[in-house]
Amino acid sequence: QVQLVESGGGLVQPGGSLRLSCSASTFIFDDYDIGWFRQAPGKEREGVSCINNNDDSRYTLDSVKGRFTISTDFAKNTLYLQLNNLKPEDTAVYYCAADFRERSGVACKANDYTYWGQGTQVTVSS
C-alpha cells in the first residue's frame, strides 16, 4: 500500500508561483508511474504532468507547458510540481498519484492510477 501526502497549495495572485510537494510512504521511483492531476469544480480530473520511471518518458498538459515543472527527489522520496505564472484557470484541487507499472511509456489519465493523495487546493485570484 502506497500512501501519498501533498502539501504546498494556497492562495496566490495571477502571475505568482507555488511549489507542491508529495511525500510517499514507500519508494515509488522504481517500476512506478507517478504524476500530478487536478480537478476544478464541475470538471473531470485531468493529468497535469506524469513520469514513467522505467524509461523516464513524460507527459505534460499543453496548457501548462512552459509554466509547470515536475521533478523528483529520490533521497526524500518526494515528488514536486513547480507552478509558475499561475492563471485563474489553474485553480483546482491538485493531487499526486502513483501506480505500479512494469512497462515503459508514461500514462497520465486518472483511471490509470491506483494510489492517490488527499489533494491540496490551489486558488489563483486577485
Side-chain angles (χ1 to χ4, degrees), residues 18-83:
L18 287 172
R19 189 177 79 157
L20 307 183
S21 300
C22 173
S23 178
S25 63
T26 188
F27 192 70
I28 56 172
F29 301 116
D30 281 338
D31 296 328
Y32 277 85
D33 276 10
I34 53 176
W36 289 96
F37 293 76
R38 68 184 182 185
Q39 188 165 20
K43 295 188 177 182
E44 292 187 356
R45 192 169 298 187
E46 63 179 353
V48 175
S49 190
C50 300
I51 302 173
N52 176 283
N53 281 304
N54 293 302
D55 63 0
D56 201 34
S57 55
R58 301 188 177 210
Y59 167 86
T60 301
L61 184 66
D62 283 347
S63 62
V64 308
K65 284 181 179 177
R67 300 189 297 120
F68 292 7
T69 303
I70 191 171
S71 63
T72 57
D73 187 328
F74 293 172
K76 295 182 178 179
N77 211 24
T78 300
L79 178 69
Y80 300 100
L81 186 68
Q82 179 69 40
L83 293 73

Side-chain angles (χ1 to χ4, degrees), residues 106-120:
V106 65
C108 206
K109 294 185 178 180
N111 60 10
D112 291 322
Y113 285 74
T114 302
Y115 305 105
W116 292 87
Q118 81 287 354
T120 185

